Amino acid sequence: MTTAFPATTQVLARQIAEARIDHAAFEILLRPCEMSRCKATCCHDGVHLSSEEAVYVRGLTECKRGELESLGFKIPEEVIIKSPDRKGEKTAVREALEYELAVDFPEHFPKTRCVFLDEGGYCGLQKLAMQEGSHAWKHKPLTCWMHPLVLVPAGKWEERPVLTMVNAENDPQKKEGYAGYASCTHCGREDKSGSPAWQVLQAELRMLGELCGRDIYNELSAPTVDWVRE
């Protein structure tokens, strides 16, 4: 099992099975993740968790606190907190030091950091998995490694779920006073010097396909055929 969250994966798989893949959106040009440039901007506010993920991450931290500290992480007692909307739980955050933030850190993002980030922006859950010889994303909540892929739930845009890349205009988290999330992070923001998103995000798309039983990367990378009637 690549991921430690089978129940959460099962829910995701059901949505992916019926999702429309937004082919046009995946032509957006992106640059690959560069920690020296983005400094984990996408992780600034922690991550919202399923109940399974919250229980697992809390338990993992209790069992592996020593290992995480030996890797250079300063882990607080409470690593999981109630979401501000009180509808679930998320990873806790700490105040960011100025040098930890990207030079173009979005002004509408709070200047905080997920407690599982070290000062270089690297994830303790990922480092722990790699030290154990497991898949790098084994301990990471699904939303973390899927970013900047966005799965819009059924009923929000269309009757079916939609797997897409969002932009500044249609970012589902955009609201008055908040310019959005995925479209404002470095790895989700269009960059004319980049490559098509389906190429840049090959690892994420292949992982998603492996877990959900649908070859999404192949669907996106297949050449377009122009049928000519003779």
Side-chain angles (χ1 to χ4, degrees):
M1 175 65 71
T2 303
T3 179
F5 312 108
T8 305
T9 298
Q10 188 174 44
V11 172
L12 176 64
R14 287 198 296 267
Q15 296 180 71
I16 290 296
E18 61 179 86
R20 178 179 71 82
I21 309 300
D22 190 352
H23 288 252
F26 280 94
E27 294 298 327
I28 184 176
L29 301 181
L30 303 178
R31 283 174 61 181
C33 180
E34 299 172 33
M35 194 63 70
S36 60
R37 179 173 65 103
C38 77
K39 297 190 176 182
T41 294
C42 62
C43 307
H44 74 280
D45 197 34
V47 63
H48 290 262
L49 306 167
S50 68
S51 56
E52 177 189 44
E53 290 171 331
V55 169
Y56 180 86
V57 172
R58 185 180 283 115
L60 179 71
T61 304
E62 292 174 358
C63 293
K64 301 287 186 177
R65 185 175 295 274
E67 286 90 331
L68 286 164
E69 290 176 349
S70 70
L71 288 169
F73 293 87
K74 299 175 183 178
I75 306 296
E77 286 301 314
E78 295 294 328
V79 296
I80 306 296
I81 61 173
K82 285 287 185 183
S83 299
D85 58 13
R86 298 293 175 181
K87 293 182 180 180
E89 295 181 292
K90 65 184 290 292
T91 55
V93 297
R94 60 175 174 80
E95 290 298 315
L97 300 173
E98 198 61 36
Y99 68 82
E100 293 181 291
L101 300 177
V103 294
D104 56 350
F105 189 79
E107 292 184 3
H108 66 289
F109 283 178
K111 293 184 177 181
T112 53
R113 307 284 277 173
C114 176
V115 295
F116 287 104
L117 289 180
D118 64 15
E119 291 186 3
Y122 293 95
C123 176
L125 298 176
Q126 180 162 325
K127 279 193 169 183
L128 181 62
M130 294 171 69
Q131 179 175 266
E132 296 170 345
S134 301
H135 190 285
W137 296 341
K138 177 181 178 180
H139 302 316
K140 295 186 76 166
L142 272 63
T143 302
C144 292
W145 61 259
M146 281 182 62
H147 182 79
L149 304 178
V150 175
L151 181 62
V152 181
K156 192 172 182 69
W157 284 6
E158 303 176 11
E159 292 184 3
R160 299 166 59 188
V162 181
L163 182 67
T164 188
M165 299 293 302
V166 298
N167 56 50
E169 298 302 318
N170 67 5
D171 192 319
Q173 295 193 42
K174 183 178 180 179
K175 57 186 178 181
E176 185 176 355
Y178 190 82
Y181 171 64
S183 64
C184 300
T185 63
H186 292 78
C187 49
R189 191 163 61 206
E190 185 171 15
D191 190 314
K192 298 299 184 182
S193 66
S195 301
W198 63 267
Q199 295 179 4
V200 174
L201 302 174
Q202 179 176 166
E204 290 83 355
L205 291 166
R206 287 194 182 282
M207 175 76 153
L208 187 60
E210 176 187 327
L211 293 177
C212 298
R214 181 176 178 181
D215 194 345
I216 299 168
Y217 178 74
N218 186 57
E219 290 183 40
L220 285 165
S221 60
T224 301
V225 176
D226 292 325
W227 295 98
V228 179
R229 179 176 296 178
E230 296 182 357

